[in-house]
C-alpha cells in the first residue's frame, strides 16, 4: 500500500531527524471511499484545548504542543494510482530529541506480542513490574533496544488486570444466578 509506505517513510524520517511523528487527517472520496489525500505531522503540531478542570489544579500537565509547522502532505494522482507530495515543511519551532532518547518517542514505541507474552509469564510468576522491565531490558541488550518504556508496560499490565476483573465478575455473577435456580 502506497499510503503505508509514505507513513513508514515519515516515521523513519522523524526517527532520523530526531522528532516524534503522528498522522493527521485523511480525505476520502465519496464515490469509491479511496483516500485522496493524507497529512503526516510532527507530534508537537497544534495546541492543547483549554483545561476544563478546576483552575486550582495542584499538578497541571506540562504543555507538550508548540504548534510546530513540520508536515508532509500527499495526494492521490488518479491517472497513475500513486500519491505525490503536495506539501512539505521541515523547519521545527522546538528543540528536537537527543539521539540517545529517540527510543522514548511515542511514534517509536511498540510492544510486540512476544514481549507481551513474556511480561504475562513473568507477572504470573510473581516478578514485580520494575524487575520485569529490568529483565526485559537486559535480554534486549539495553532499554534503547526494548521498543517500549516502563509506562507502556505499566499500562499493558493495568489493562490486562482490568480485563481479568471484568471476566471474573461476570463469571461470579453467572455462578450466583445458577445457584439461585437450583
Amino acid at each position: 500500500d502506497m499510503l503505508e509506505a509514505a507513513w513508514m517513510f515519515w516515521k523513519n524520517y522523524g526517527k532520523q531527524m530526531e522528532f516524534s511523528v503522528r498522522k493527521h487527517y485523511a480525505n476520502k472520496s465519496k464515490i469509491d471511499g479511496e483516500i485522496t489525500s493524507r497529512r503526516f505531522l510532527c507530534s508537537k503540531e497544534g495546541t492543547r484545548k483549554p483545561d476544563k478542570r478546576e483552575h486550582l489544579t495542584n499538578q497541571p500537565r506540562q504543555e507538550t504542543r508548540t504548534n510546530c509547522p513540520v508536515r508532509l502532505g500527499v495526494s492521490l494522482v488518479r491517472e497513475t494510482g500513486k500519491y505525490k507530495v503536495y506539501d512539505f515543511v521541515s523547519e521545527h519551532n522546538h528543540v528536537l530529541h537527543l539521539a540517545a532518547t529517540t527510543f522514548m518517542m511515542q511514534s517509536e514505541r511498540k510492544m510486540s506480542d512476544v514481549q507481551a507474552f513474556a511480561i504475562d509469564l513473568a507477572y504470573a510468576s510473581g516478578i514485580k513490574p520494575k524487575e520485569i522491565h529490568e529483565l526485559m531490558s537486559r535480554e534486549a541488550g539495553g532499554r534503547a533496544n526494548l521498543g517500549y518504556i516502563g509506562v507502556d508496560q505499566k499500562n499493558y499490565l493495568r489493562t490486562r488486570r482490568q480485563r481479568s476483573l471484568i471476566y471474573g465478575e461476570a463469571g461470579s455473577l453467572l455462578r450466583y444466578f445458577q445457584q439461585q435456580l437450583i
Side-chain angles (χ1 to χ4, degrees), residues 18-34:
E18 300 169 354
F19 69 95
S20 188
V21 298
R22 65 185 172 90
K23 294 176 182 177
H24 194 216
Y25 66 78
N27 288 325
K28 285 187 179 181
S29 168
K30 291 181 181 175
I31 299 165
D32 58 8
E34 192 169 13

Side-chain angles (χ1 to χ4, degrees), residues 7 82 177:
W7 170 240
K82 295 183 178 181
F177 286 118

Side-chain angles (χ1 to χ4, degrees), residues 118 122 127 130-140 146:
I127 300 174
K130 279 187 180 180
E131 293 170 357
I132 293 172
H133 191 257
E134 200 58 44
L135 172 70
M136 298 290 285
S137 297
R138 256 187 268 124
E139 284 183 13
L146 193 53

Side-chain angles (χ1 to χ4, degrees), residues 31-149:
I31 299 165
D32 58 8
E34 192 169 13
I35 295 176
T36 57
S37 66
R38 177 105 220 196
R39 185 171 274 176
F40 307 109
L41 309 167
C42 171
S43 64
K44 291 187 178 280
E45 183 273 342
T47 54
R48 183 188 298 157
K49 294 176 185 172
D51 196 348
K52 295 177 185 174
R53 298 176 302 171
E54 186 180 326
H55 70 283
L56 298 174
T57 304
N58 288 340
Q59 295 179 332
R61 289 190 61 208
Q62 184 180 356
E63 183 59 67
T64 55
R65 300 274 178 101
T66 63
N67 218 1
C68 182
V70 171
R71 63 186 175 266
L72 171 70
V74 294
S75 63
L76 179 65
V77 178
R78 288 274 183 191
E79 296 78 38
T80 62
K82 295 183 178 181
Y83 290 87
K84 69 172 185 173
V85 174
Y86 73 89
D87 186 22
F88 177 69
V89 177
S90 63
E91 290 297 316
H92 294 269
N93 65 2
H94 57 88
V95 176
L96 301 179
H97 286 265
L98 298 172
T101 63
T102 53
F103 73 94
M104 297 172 73
M105 296 186 310
Q106 185 74 37
S107 58
E108 293 301 315
R109 292 168 16 203
K110 177 82 173 90
M111 185 182 297
S112 72
D113 293 339
V114 173
Q115 289 172 324
F117 182 72
I119 290 168
D120 286 340
L121 267 172
Y123 189 72
S125 301
I127 300 174
K128 294 176 183 171
K130 279 187 180 180
E131 293 170 357
I132 293 172
H133 191 257
E134 200 58 44
L135 172 70
M136 298 290 285
S137 297
R138 256 187 268 124
E139 284 183 13
R143 290 173 190 230
N145 300 331
L146 193 53
Y148 65 90
I149 61 174

